[in-house]
Amino acid sequence: MNNKTLTIIKPKALSDNCAGKILSTINANGFRIQAMRMMRLTRPQAEAFYSVHKDRPFFHDLVEFMTSGPIIAAILEKENAVEEYRKLIGSTNPDEAADETIRAMCGTNIQMNAVHGSDSDENAEQEANFFFSYAERF
Ligand code: GDP
């Protein structure tokens, strides 16, 4: 079991002014923010981050969307962080996400679903390294 996960507040949630609500929900649910940055992903960065989906029909649209505006990336710390955060964000499709989850509150549709959350400890480690050096973690 790991104690960290990587989240991204996606462009539409940011442009909808939902970032404050998402960050306060994260803190209210016992996650500590270890690192955080607002940035705009380049196309190669978005393609690399989602490379596991490169053969999926939605890959092109997903990369377009993720590069369409700024995001906030953060490393979150909590015991059993990956699983706990997946519970807090809800299903991939906001229409199917339980009430009170971040995707139900701030998601628009299956693509613009407010946030990313790592799906395994191994991916959390890789994704944290993708965005943050050790000097940027507190
Ligand atoms: P997650 O782990 O819940 O984020 O879901 P996945 O790893 O399956 O997909 C990664 C991201 O791709 C999702 O968060 C969505 O932004 C997007 N996505 C997943 N499925 C679809 C789909 O069927 N259509 C579109 N347009 N985007 C999708």
Side-chain angles (χ1 to χ4, degrees):
M1 199 199 318
N2 204 336
N3 66 348
K4 73 167 168 279
T5 191
L6 187 284
T7 191
I8 299 175
I9 302 178
K10 299 185 182 186
K12 178 75 163 68
L14 231 67
S15 64
D16 284 346
N17 282 339
C18 226
K21 191 170 181 174
I22 292 169
L23 291 171
S24 93
T25 301
I26 284 170
N27 279 152
N29 282 272
F31 293 87
R32 194 181 78 81
I33 297 171
Q34 187 190 92
M36 185 161 70
R37 183 188 310 119
M38 186 166 174
M39 62 183 288
R40 187 166 180 165
L41 288 171
T42 63
R43 178 171 294 274
Q45 283 174 326
E47 287 174 350
F49 187 82
Y50 281 115
S51 61
V52 63
H53 295 307
K54 65 180 187 318
D55 296 326
R56 305 285 284 277
F58 58 81
F59 181 68
H60 175 80
D61 287 349
L62 180 60
V63 169
E64 281 291 309
F65 165 56
M66 290 301 291
T67 56
S68 67
I71 56 138
I72 290 173
I75 300 174
L76 309 179
E77 236 179 25
K78 186 180 179 174
E79 198 175 312
N80 202 13
V82 165
E83 199 181 321
E84 290 292 305
Y85 192 59
R86 297 287 298 191
K87 271 193 245 162
L88 182 61
I89 69 180
S91 303
T92 306
N93 186 344
D95 292 338
E96 292 163 12
D99 291 349
E100 311 293 315
T101 60
I102 289 175
R103 282 171 165 170
M105 288 189 306
C106 292
T108 302
N109 57 36
I110 193 163
Q111 176 172 276
M112 297 188 280
N113 57 1
V115 290
H116 169 81
S118 308
D119 63 4
S120 68
D121 287 347
E122 192 189 352
N123 285 340
E125 193 65 40
Q126 273 183 19
E127 292 171 3
N129 292 337
F130 182 92
F131 282 104
F132 299 101
S133 73
Y134 281 88
E136 294 171 303
R137 302 180 194 193
F138 300 92

